[in-house]
Amino acid sequence: MISKSPSLAVHKLLLYSLLFLQTYYSLATSANSSTAKNFIECVSINSELSVPVVTTLFTPNTSSFTSVLGSTPTNLRFLEPSVPKPQFIFTPLHDSHVQAAVICSKQLGFHFRVRSGGHDYEGVSYVSEIETPFILIDLINLRLVHVDIENNSAWVQAGATIGELYYKISQKSKVHGFPAGICPSVGIGGHITGGGYGAMLRKYGLAADNVLDARLVDVNGRILDREMMGKDLFWAIRGGGGGSFGIILWWKIKLVPVPETVTFFRIVNSSTNEKTLKISYNALFLGDSIRLLKVLGDGFPELGLEKKDCMEMSWVESVLYVDGYPKGTPVQSLLQAKNRFRTYFKAKSDFVSVPIPEKALEGLWTRMLKEENPAMVWTPLGGMMSRISESKIPYPHRKGILFMSQYLTTWADGDKDPERHIDWIREVYEYMTPYVSNSPRQAYVNYRDLDLGINKNNMCFDWPITDHWGIRYYNEDNFKRLCLFQSQPLTEQVSTIAEEIFRSDAVGGHRPDGSLL
C-alpha cells in the first residue's frame, strides 16, 4: 500500500539526506580529495538511487583501496608500485550509477577505465599510461543473471563472471549451455566485446556470435538497447574491443543445446631431455565416450585415444574439470571461482592457416626449452567458425584458419630481470613469422599485445597501411568500418564513443575480460 500522506516521504527524504551528508562528510574528512568529493556529489545528483559512498568509492588513502584494485587482475605486472594507479575506484551498484559516472566524468574532465573481470593481458582496463590522472569504474557489483529457458536466452550483467552465468544456466536446465570461455573467473562484459571463444566454438562459434541484444551507456550517459543503438553500434560492440564504444551494462545471450552427457579427455606426452617438454591434448566432445572413440578412431587414430582417457560428465561439470578442478567438485564452486592464473606474464597470439613444417617445429621446441616457464596453446578452429562470415562481427579470424596459437611466459615476484622473459617471447614471436598468417599477421584482440601498437590521441588509422595493429586484430575492412563509425559526428540517433573520455591505450580497454573486460 502506498501512503498518500507526504510526511512519510519527507521523513525518508530527510533520513536519506542525513545519511548522505554523514557519509559525504566522512569522505571529505578522511580522503581530503576534491576530485573524489566532486565526483560522488555529481553521481548522487544524477543517479536514480542514492550512492552509499563507504561501499562504492575507494581512494588511495583508504585501507581497502589496494585490495579492491588487486582483487581481480590476472597480470600482476600491472599492480607494481611503478605502474600508474587510479585517483579513485568507483564500484557502482546500479545501472544509473554507471550512467551518472559517464555524465560526471564528462562534466569534470576525468579520464576513466572500466573493468568487469580483470583478465586483461596488458592491464588497460585498470591502467592508463597515456591519459593521467584517471579513475577506475569497476563493475564488480553488477553481476545479476536472469535465465529464460522457455525462450532459450538469458540477460547477464557485465560484471558477472562466466562461471556465475554457467551455474545459473545449469540450475534451470541440464541441456542448455553457452559457448563462452573455459576460465570461470573471466568477466562476461569484456569477454564478449573481444569475441570470446571457448570449448564449443567449432559447434556454435564465439560468445559474440550468440548475442541477441545488449544494454550500454553511451557517451552522453544514455542507456541504449539494440534497437536504440542501431545496427552499426550493435555490430561494433560484439568483437570490436572493450571500452571503445560505450560501457556494456547487460548482454542478452542465446542459449545453445548441449547433451546431458559430454566427454572430456586429456592425453599428455612428454620428452625426456635435460628439461621436459610436455604436450597435452585436451578436448570437449558433445556426446558420450562410445561415440567419441568411434569419431577419433576413424579420423585421428594417431592420437591413440582409449576408453580410460575419457571422462563423462554433465556440461557444467566439464567447465570445472577443464579449468583444473577435480572431477566431482560441486558446481556451486563456479560461484566462487577464483582466478587460477594470477602471475607475472607476457603473452602474444598468432593465427595459422597452413601446417607448420616439422623442421620449424623442432626449432620452436628448442627455443621453448631455453625459457624457464614457457607455454604455448593451440586452439583449433574450423567447423562453425569457417561457416560464419568474417564481416558478421568485427572478429574476422574465420575461414581458412587452422588454429590460433598463444605464446606465454611467466615469472615469479622478485625476479631480478623480468625483461629477459619478455625478450624471449619477442624472439619466439619473430621466429614464427614465416609460419603464421601474413598480410596482415593476425592477432586476437582479447589477448591484447601492446607491442603491436597503441591508440595514441585516438588516431584510429592513416591509410594506406599494411601492418597496423588494428588490421591485425580486425582485418582491413572491419577495422575501417570500426574507425569510420567511431569518427562520425555524434547525432541524436547514434552516439559513438569518439570523445576523449573513452580513449584507450589500444582499441578497446579490456582482456579475456576484458573486460570491459
Side-chain angles (χ1 to χ4, degrees), residues 235 389-398 439-443 463 465 468-483:
W235 176 84
S389 167
E390 65 180 27
S391 62
K392 178 188 175 183
I393 63 173
Y395 177 100
H397 319 292
R398 305 284 190 174
S439 300
R441 183 173 185 175
Q442 300 175 59
W463 305 102
I465 54 179
H468 190 281
W469 53 264
I471 303 298
R472 294 186 181 215
Y473 290 138
Y474 304 113
N475 84 17
E476 184 170 337
D477 289 341
N478 287 357
F479 186 52
K480 184 181 292 187
R481 182 177 176 184
L482 288 169
C483 287

Side-chain angles (χ1 to χ4, degrees), residues 281-293:
Y281 300 87
N282 308 274
L284 174 70
F285 180 72
L286 299 178
D288 60 32
S289 59
I290 295 175
R291 185 174 164 220
L292 169 62
L293 288 168

Side-chain angles (χ1 to χ4, degrees), residues 326-346:
K327 187 178 181 182
T329 299
V331 295
Q332 290 86 349
S333 299
L334 290 170
L335 297 176
Q336 293 85 36
K338 302 298 183 182
N339 190 338
R340 297 163 64 85
F341 188 64
R342 285 172 60 85
T343 186
Y344 297 80
F345 73 92
K346 174 66 179 178

Side-chain angles (χ1 to χ4, degrees), residues 162-405:
I162 294 173
E164 289 169 333
L165 171 62
Y166 291 163
Y167 175 79
K168 293 297 178 66
I169 295 171
S170 74
Q171 296 307 290
K172 293 291 185 74
S173 171
K174 295 181 179 180
V175 291
H176 286 79
F178 183 65
I182 64 173
C183 184
S185 60
V186 166
I188 195 70
H191 183 61
I192 294 179
T193 60
Y197 77 90
M200 295 195 291
L201 86 167
R202 285 173 49 86
K203 177 69 173 179
Y204 296 115
L206 306 172
D209 293 325
N210 292 275
V211 169
L212 301 172
D213 203 341
R215 288 169 61 85
L216 61 78
V217 179
D218 77 352
V219 71
N220 294 318
R222 300 179 303 173
I223 293 182
L224 308 177
D225 61 13
R226 177 176 182 173
E227 182 178 358
M228 295 172 65
M229 72 178 73
K231 65 178 182 180
D232 286 332
L233 183 52
F234 185 64
W235 176 84
I237 62 176
R238 293 173 296 150
S244 295
F245 303 98
I247 300 180
I248 301 295
L249 297 174
W250 296 82
W251 292 111
K252 184 180 182 182
I253 60 171
K254 179 176 67 176
L255 304 183
V256 301
V258 295
E260 287 198 34
T261 299
V262 303
T263 305
F264 179 80
F265 72 81
R266 179 180 291 121
I267 296 177
V268 179
N269 295 324
S270 299
S271 67
T272 55
N273 291 330
E274 298 176 7
K275 294 180 67 174
T276 299
L277 185 67
K278 182 165 66 176
I279 301 176
S280 177
Y281 300 87
N282 308 274
L284 174 70
F285 180 72
L286 299 178
D288 60 32
S289 59
I290 295 175
R291 185 174 164 220
L292 169 62
L293 288 168
K294 183 179 187 313
V295 169
L296 282 184
D298 294 341
F300 192 12
E302 299 88 345
L303 187 61
L305 185 70
E306 300 179 13
K307 177 70 174 178
K308 64 179 179 63
D309 303 315
C310 301
M311 302 286 287
E312 293 185 342
M313 59 195 78
S314 69
W315 169 75
V316 72
E317 289 173 333
S318 77
V319 174
L320 286 164
Y321 193 73
V322 170
D323 194 45
Y325 288 87
K327 187 178 181 182
T329 299
V331 295
Q332 290 86 349
S333 299
L334 290 170
L335 297 176
Q336 293 85 36
K338 302 298 183 182
N339 190 338
R340 297 163 64 85
F341 188 64
R342 285 172 60 85
T343 186
Y344 297 80
F345 73 92
K346 174 66 179 178
K348 290 180 173 290
S349 63
D350 267 320
F351 287 87
V352 179
S353 54
V354 296
I356 300 174
E358 185 174 344
K359 186 174 182 180
L361 291 176
E362 292 174 355
L364 178 59
W365 307 152
T366 299
R367 286 164 174 79
M368 294 282 287
L369 289 170
K370 291 180 179 179
E371 176 66 355
E372 295 173 13
N373 295 296
M376 184 166 57
V377 181
W378 288 0
T379 302
L381 273 65
M384 179 59 72
M385 292 294 289
S386 295
R387 296 193 288 274
I388 298 174
S389 167
E390 65 180 27
S391 62
K392 178 188 175 183
I393 63 173
Y395 177 100
H397 319 292
R398 305 284 190 174
K399 188 175 181 179
I401 300 294
L402 296 179
F403 61 90
M404 180 176 66
S405 179

Side-chain angles (χ1 to χ4, degrees), residues 24-251:
Y24 186 87
Y25 176 76
S26 175
L27 173 70
T29 55
S30 63
N32 193 27
S33 167
S34 60
T35 298
K37 289 188 292 184
N38 292 340
F39 179 83
I40 206 67
E41 181 180 39
C42 180
V43 169
S44 296
I45 292 172
N46 287 279
S47 297
E48 294 179 11
L49 300 179
S50 61
V51 183
V53 179
V54 174
T55 58
T56 60
L57 192 132
F58 306 89
T59 56
N61 59 345
T62 57
S63 59
S64 52
F65 176 84
T66 300
S67 61
V68 172
L69 180 64
S71 61
T72 58
T74 291
N75 200 336
L76 301 182
R77 290 167 55 202
F78 300 105
L79 295 177
E80 289 286 282
S82 60
V83 175
K85 304 297 188 292
Q87 284 187 297
F88 59 85
I89 304 170
F90 179 54
T91 57
L93 301 173
H94 188 264
D95 290 356
S96 67
H97 292 169
V98 182
Q99 280 184 286
V102 171
I103 292 169
C104 295
S105 293
K106 189 174 182 180
Q107 289 180 1
L108 299 172
F110 295 164
H111 302 292
F112 64 79
R113 290 291 184 267
V114 185
R115 183 172 72 181
S116 72
H119 282 246
D120 188 343
Y121 278 25
E122 296 280 13
V124 294
S125 63
Y126 54 95
V127 175
S128 176
E129 295 283 356
I130 62 176
E131 293 168 345
T132 56
F134 69 99
I135 66 173
L136 171 60
I137 301 173
D138 194 327
L139 306 181
I140 192 169
N141 293 322
L142 302 179
R143 50 203 316 152
L144 296 177
V145 180
H146 302 303
V147 178
D148 182 354
I149 292 297
E150 183 177 348
N151 292 302
N152 297 312
S153 66
W155 278 101
V156 52
Q157 277 188 305
T161 65
I162 294 173
E164 289 169 333
L165 171 62
Y166 291 163
Y167 175 79
K168 293 297 178 66
I169 295 171
S170 74
Q171 296 307 290
K172 293 291 185 74
S173 171
K174 295 181 179 180
V175 291
H176 286 79
F178 183 65
I182 64 173
C183 184
S185 60
V186 166
I188 195 70
H191 183 61
I192 294 179
T193 60
Y197 77 90
M200 295 195 291
L201 86 167
R202 285 173 49 86
K203 177 69 173 179
Y204 296 115
L206 306 172
D209 293 325
N210 292 275
V211 169
L212 301 172
D213 203 341
R215 288 169 61 85
L216 61 78
V217 179
D218 77 352
V219 71
N220 294 318
R222 300 179 303 173
I223 293 182
L224 308 177
D225 61 13
R226 177 176 182 173
E227 182 178 358
M228 295 172 65
M229 72 178 73
K231 65 178 182 180
D232 286 332
L233 183 52
F234 185 64
W235 176 84
I237 62 176
R238 293 173 296 150
S244 295
F245 303 98
I247 300 180
I248 301 295
L249 297 174
W250 296 82
W251 292 111

